[in-house]
Structures are given as structure tokens and as C-alpha cells.
Amino acid sequence: MGRGDLTNAEWARLESFLPPGGARGGRWSDHRRVINGVLYRVRTGVQWRDLPERFGPWETVYKRHRRWSADGTWKMLLSRIQAAEDAAGGIDWDVSVDSTAVRAHQHAAGARKKPSALDAQKGNGRGDEPGRSGAAETGLPPGGGGQIGECLGRSRGGFTTKIHLAADGRCRPLAFVLTPGHYGDGPQLEQVLERISVPRSGVGRPRSRPDHVLADKAYTSRSNRRYLRRRGIRHTIPERLDQQRHRHNRGSQGGRPIGFDREHYKKRNTVERAINRLKGFRAVATRYEKRAYIYLGTVALAALMVWLRT
């Protein structure tokens, strides 16, 4: 077993969820070896062609990662592990929300704008930008939509992609969304929280509502607060100074001050620590993939390893 490979305990937790394979003439080669190959690449950020020979043909490893990113296998495994943790009472439902910008390598640019026959099956091909501060068309998996459809945004430093995520109180990602790097944080709050879905171990709908949400001033809009109140979610979000001045200037019509628990807000650093854990994987800290759905699969695999090893 090499450094960073799945341990026997981690493999035992994943093996039962994977499709059967490995038999002669079967569809799949050895799952554990291929997953270790994907993990090696995600951890080190090397080119696929430079994978060590112990993982088998690099084409097999890459194609498995691409396929499982497209059909949601990585996200399914993450969901199963989250469900097991929730059943054991291991999830702290004080959820923190934030985002991080990821520099896109020059190799991440240049994806075809018109979807091929394979990409047409994977995504809807929509690429129109709904606005710099609007919600991005980031359904899984997108493809063939140009820069915006592939979640590549322009900035002074070049191409960037932004990961918006919600983390539980133990610094583990619960849900995440990709947008171009120039998109605002606040308008993505609703989309990120809607992605939280932890299945129950028995009967019942998946759990999707946190006990409490913590976020910084970027999420302090009225629409976000209305959305949280509508869902019955308690929240701790500071108010911006310009909002405070506007409320004071209106006098009695400005309404009551926003409730803010300063001590509870100190727990918001959990999402920052979750981001640090994700960016410990070099293929997450720098985006190399042209297609957004493949990079989303890379983030999902990194999040899965965070859950397995925390």
C-alpha cells in the first residue's frame, strides 16, 4: 500500500457501494487499484500520463474518474458515508457557508463550445451567463457551454473557478457548488443549502435542514434572510455597516436591529478549515480539468476522503 492509498478500513466502508467487477471479461478492472490511482493524481496534481505503473494503464484510471464524475458515483459514495455518520450521530448540524477561489491552469481552457455526441448525453449544453451575481447553470454535469458553462471566470490573474460550500461543525463538506470565479457569494447561499441532502439510515426523506447556519457579511442580503426564515433555519450573519446606516437613517421605519450572537459566530471558522482540507489536494487547489463536471468529481472525491479520514 502506497502513501495516500485507501487503507483496509476505508476500503471496507466503500467496497459494498461500488458496482461489481473484476471478473474475467467483466466491465470493470480492480476498483481499489483504480481508485488509488485517481487518489494519487488528486493528491499530487500530476498529469494523468505520469501516473505510476502500479495503478495500471493511465487511460483506465482517467476514464473511470471521468465516467464516475459524469454519472454521480463519487457523489453517491460521499452521500453514503455522510448517511452512515449521521446515523451514528457524528454530524454537527451547525453549518457554516463560504466560498474559495481556485486558479485554473492554462490547460483548463479550450473546451469545445459545441457539445459532442458524448457531451450531449452528459449535459444540457447551456452556456448563457445569467449575470455576474446570479446563480450559475451548474447542474451536474455541465458540458459544452463555453467559459461560463464550464465555470471559468475572468479576473486579473486569469481564469478562476469558485467553490461554494457548506461545512458541518467538524470541518467536513456537506454540499458544494461550482461557479465562475467572478460570481458573488451571497446569491449562491440558497443553491448551496438546497444541495444538502443526507439520506436516512431507515425510512424517511433525506435530512436537508441544518440546525443553524453561520456566514459572513457577504451573505447578509434580505433575500437570504427571508429564505432562511422561510425554511425555519436559525442563522448568525453579521450586518454590513452600510446596511446599519441605512436602517438608522430611516428611523422607526428602518426596523429592529439584526440579532447577532458574537460568541456563536466564532464557530464560523469551521468552513475555513474545511476549505484548507480540500485544498490540501493539489488537483483541487489548482483546476486542471477543462470540463466542470470532471472537476466537480475531483472535489467530491477530495471531500469523500476528508469524511473517511476525519
Side-chain angles (χ1 to χ4, degrees):
M1 184 177 68
R3 177 172 176 265
D5 289 355
L6 291 171
T7 65
N8 291 334
E10 292 165 355
W11 173 244
R13 297 182 68 183
L14 295 178
E15 185 177 12
S16 61
F17 304 133
L18 295 171
R24 184 176 180 180
R27 178 181 180 185
W28 305 107
S29 58
D30 181 59
H31 284 312
R32 186 170 184 176
R33 183 180 68 173
V34 173
I35 292 176
N36 284 334
V38 179
L39 277 177
Y40 182 89
R41 189 264 173 180
V42 172
R43 181 173 59 86
T44 62
V46 300
Q47 295 187 15
W48 290 103
R49 294 175 183 270
D50 295 332
L51 283 177
E53 294 182 357
R54 65 187 179 93
F55 300 120
W58 71 267
E59 297 95 333
T60 300
V61 181
Y62 167 68
K63 290 179 180 178
R64 187 78 56 85
H65 177 54
R66 184 181 66 180
R67 183 180 295 275
W68 284 3
S69 298
D71 63 17
T73 298
W74 294 128
K75 297 197 72 173
M76 178 273 293
L77 294 174
L78 175 61
S79 179
R80 297 292 181 88
I81 296 302
Q82 290 174 344
E85 284 290 318
D86 188 45
I91 297 182
D92 183 347
W93 285 96
D94 272 4
V95 173
S96 301
V97 180
D98 206 349
S99 72
T100 181
V102 175
R103 176 67 185 272
H105 193 270
Q106 60 185 5
H107 294 167
R112 291 190 302 269
K113 293 185 178 180
K114 293 183 179 180
S116 64
L118 178 61
D119 288 332
Q121 298 175 1
K122 294 175 182 174
N124 51 27
R126 293 176 294 183
D128 295 334
E129 182 175 6
R132 289 175 60 91
S133 298
E137 298 292 346
T138 52
L140 199 160
Q147 293 179 13
I148 299 302
E150 299 298 345
C151 298
L152 289 172
R154 282 284 189 179
S155 66
R156 291 185 178 181
F159 282 125
T160 54
T161 295
K162 189 173 283 187
I163 305 174
H164 306 263
L165 74 156
D168 79 332
R170 296 181 61 187
C171 311
R172 299 172 298 186
L174 280 171
F176 39 85
V177 172
L178 296 185
T179 66
H182 61 279
Y183 276 35
D185 293 353
Q188 314 304 326
L189 175 68
E190 181 175 347
Q191 188 177 178
V192 172
L193 294 182
E194 291 292 336
R195 296 291 179 91
I196 297 177
S197 180
V198 178
R200 309 280 186 176
S201 58
V203 296
R205 294 179 297 177
R207 175 161 184 176
S208 59
R209 188 172 66 178
D211 292 334
H212 203 104
V213 167
L214 300 101
D216 60 21
K217 294 181 180 180
Y219 300 88
T220 188
S221 67
R222 292 182 178 179
S223 60
N224 284 340
R225 294 183 187 275
R226 283 196 297 266
Y227 166 75
L228 293 169
R229 286 195 296 268
R230 185 170 66 251
R231 291 192 59 188
I233 301 175
R234 294 177 297 169
H235 54 278
T236 301
I237 304 175
E239 191 178 25
R240 294 198 307 267
L241 292 178
D242 61 329
Q243 292 178 323
Q244 295 178 12
R245 287 195 297 267
H246 179 67
R247 177 166 45 79
H248 291 160
N249 292 337
R250 296 186 63 189
S252 60
Q253 296 181 353
R256 293 178 297 179
I258 300 297
F260 180 69
D261 188 342
R262 190 174 299 275
E263 287 299 317
H264 200 174
Y265 185 70
K266 293 179 180 179
K267 195 176 180 180
R268 197 195 66 85
N269 69 82
T270 54
V271 68
E272 305 286 354
R273 290 150 64 190
I275 290 172
N276 288 340
R277 288 177 175 177
L278 285 179
K279 285 194 167 182
F281 296 86
R282 295 192 176 210
V284 174
T286 301
R287 173 179 169 176
Y288 298 98
E289 291 84 358
K290 295 181 185 297
R291 295 301 189 194
Y293 76 88
I294 301 180
Y295 181 65
L296 191 63
T298 299
V299 177
L301 177 57
L304 172 63
M305 298 313 300
V306 169
W307 278 86
L308 286 175
R309 296 174 177 175
T310 303

